[in-house]
Amino acid sequence: MILKTKSLQYTQTPQAQAGQKQEQSVAFFLRRAFKDHPEILVVNDFKFSFNDETAQIDHLLIYRYGFVLIESKSIKGHVKVNSQGEWSRSYNNHWSGMPSPIKQVELQQALLRELLKHHKSEILGKLLGIKQQGFNGRCWDHLCVVSSDAVIDRETMPSTISNKLVKTEFLVEKLEEIMNLKNKFMRLISVADTRPDFSQAELNSVGEFIIAQHIDSNQAPNQATPQVAKAARAQEPKPQFEVQPQTTKTTQTVKNTAASAAMATLSCKHCGESTNYSPMYGKYGYYITCKQCSKNTPMKQACPQCHSPKTKVSKRKETYTLNCQDCSHENQLV
């Protein structure tokens, strides 16, 4: 199932254009292989921040047993990696060094693991209602995918790197080997396979959380795509407007000042607690869990300025903001 497609960017240099073409090619193979597979979630071009660090993952697969990160590289000519893990490439018969894409994707993977571990209680449930599940025991793999016309010198390449380097045309076969998915019956009788797996609900929850963390360079963080926003607006009731009598300039100024001072606040709808709570994310969006009564309250509420119900909550790092779609008022919640 494709959760996010490749975001096309305006590129000027030949190198950037070639890189984007390679990412599109990889996204095509992933879509053709897994678009109808409910147990494999594909996220292309995923950018996120955590702990004051930002990473961009070219392609991310979330499946029943874990995660596979893919770094795409447009490489023409020969590719060599020496025993120290140092990469070099040839272009027009000229050899030059290049940063290791394997090291690059390893850093992305480490940051993603920290992000998921930090929010594990929001994403995953408790085993038997007692033990909080996490992400450390899951399968974590990463690959570097290069252009199909690249020439790879595998004879002198360390086997640990060679196993993670694959051409685009062989990517799907490599992924199927790594994920090693089985049907439900085979999972039940395969006693040797001890990999902990996500339920379908947990898998969907992980996917929803990942999409909510994406930072779009062309729009506000966590902003819905135009198609999703349009569909959401179509389902919401139309606001009713009444003709208001004309007011003097002084009266109108007072009203505007009062409206601009209106602020949304968070408090538990069950016990009224307004400070002792924890921000959380779940299937239906952002909410707070009260530490007094242990009950949940949605962060989404009517706009404090125009009272429109057409609002949404967005998150950037540790800041939560209420955004009104009618009057564009923004209100920091946490």
Side-chain angles (χ1 to χ4, degrees):
M1 182 181 299
I2 309 300
L3 294 188
K4 183 182 179 301
T5 59
K6 162 64 183 170
S7 301
L8 296 180
Q9 305 291 332
Y10 175 71
T11 56
Q12 292 181 316
T13 65
Q15 294 84 354
Q17 292 172 354
Q20 180 161 262
K21 183 178 179 181
Q22 169 65 4
E23 291 183 31
Q24 287 180 276
S25 179
V26 172
F28 167 77
F29 277 90
L30 294 177
R31 181 176 68 252
R32 189 171 65 176
F34 305 123
K35 66 177 181 179
D36 297 320
H37 202 308
E39 294 186 357
I40 301 176
L41 309 181
V42 180
V43 181
N44 296 290
D45 197 13
F46 172 49
K47 183 178 181 180
F48 68 100
S49 293
F50 179 69
N51 198 23
D52 296 327
E53 299 289 339
T54 300
Q56 183 155 354
I57 301 172
D58 290 340
H59 315 276
L60 170 64
L61 272 70
I62 311 163
Y63 68 107
R64 182 167 288 275
Y65 298 109
F67 307 84
V68 184
L69 287 76
I70 301 173
E71 177 70 17
S72 294
K73 286 297 178 185
S74 174
I75 299 179
K76 307 291 183 181
H78 288 70
V79 182
K80 290 184 179 180
V81 183
N82 63 22
S83 59
Q84 302 300 315
E86 299 168 336
W87 289 58
S88 57
R89 61 192 296 184
S90 68
Y91 182 74
N92 289 336
N93 296 321
H94 174 71
W95 283 91
S96 61
M98 61 175 288
S100 168
I102 298 296
K103 288 296 182 183
Q104 182 179 346
V105 74
E106 286 175 350
L107 292 174
Q108 297 166 354
Q109 177 177 296
L111 189 62
L112 179 62
R113 290 185 69 163
E114 290 302 312
L115 171 68
L116 295 176
K117 285 170 58 179
H118 183 76
H119 293 279
K120 63 183 180 181
S121 62
E122 306 169 37
I123 307 170
L124 301 177
K126 294 183 178 180
L127 185 63
L128 301 177
I130 302 173
K131 185 178 180 180
Q132 175 64 55
Q133 298 189 78
F135 294 95
N136 280 338
R138 314 296 173 171
C139 297
W140 288 88
D141 295 280
H142 51 271
L143 297 172
C144 174
V145 183
V146 297
S147 311
S148 294
D149 54 358
V151 180
I152 304 174
D153 186 355
R154 296 189 185 274
E155 292 185 0
T156 60
M157 184 179 297
S159 59
T160 53
I161 295 179
S162 181
N163 289 334
K164 298 180 183 300
L165 184 59
V166 60
K167 291 187 176 183
T168 307
E169 58 188 321
F170 301 111
L171 173 61
V172 173
E173 289 86 345
K174 183 67 174 181
L175 288 171
E176 290 175 343
E177 174 189 335
I178 290 174
M179 294 186 289
N180 189 24
L181 292 176
K182 303 179 178 70
N183 59 39
K184 293 182 179 179
F185 176 73
M186 291 301 298
R187 285 201 292 267
L188 289 174
I189 64 174
S190 298
V191 293
D193 191 347
T194 59
R195 295 177 294 174
D197 60 343
F198 295 120
S199 67
Q200 189 62 49
E202 291 171 337
L203 192 65
N204 294 339
S205 179
V206 174
E208 290 172 2
F209 176 81
I210 290 291
I211 292 299
Q213 303 307 306
H214 174 64
I215 301 172
D216 193 330
S217 302
N218 299 318
Q219 59 186 26
N222 298 328
Q223 180 176 332
T225 61
Q227 294 86 349
V228 174
K230 182 178 180 181
R233 288 194 296 269
Q235 296 177 359
E236 293 174 340
K238 300 292 183 182
Q240 301 297 319
F241 297 97
E242 296 180 359
V243 178
Q244 299 292 336
Q246 292 185 344
T247 58
T248 64
K249 183 175 181 179
T250 302
T251 304
Q252 189 64 44
T253 301
V254 173
K255 288 185 176 181
N256 291 340
T257 303
S260 62
M263 298 290 289
T265 58
L266 288 177
S267 61
C268 176
K269 67 178 182 181
H270 303 280
C271 69
E273 175 59 40
S274 59
T275 57
N276 193 16
Y277 55 74
S278 299
M280 308 289 280
Y281 177 82
K283 182 178 180 180
Y284 299 105
Y286 295 102
Y287 63 97
I288 57 172
T289 296
C290 180
K291 295 183 179 180
Q292 294 291 335
C293 66
S294 301
K295 294 184 178 180
N296 300 331
T297 301
M299 288 192 189
K300 178 177 168 62
Q301 53 189 282
C303 174
Q305 179 158 297
C306 71
H307 307 293
S308 169
K310 296 169 65 174
T311 60
K312 67 187 182 92
V313 178
S314 62
K315 177 179 181 290
R316 184 172 181 83
K317 294 185 178 179
E318 301 304 319
T319 301
Y320 298 78
T321 304
L322 183 72
N323 305 278
C324 179
Q325 298 179 16
D326 278 339
C327 69
S328 300
H329 178 69
E330 292 187 357
N331 191 132
Q332 182 174 327
L333 297 173
V334 182

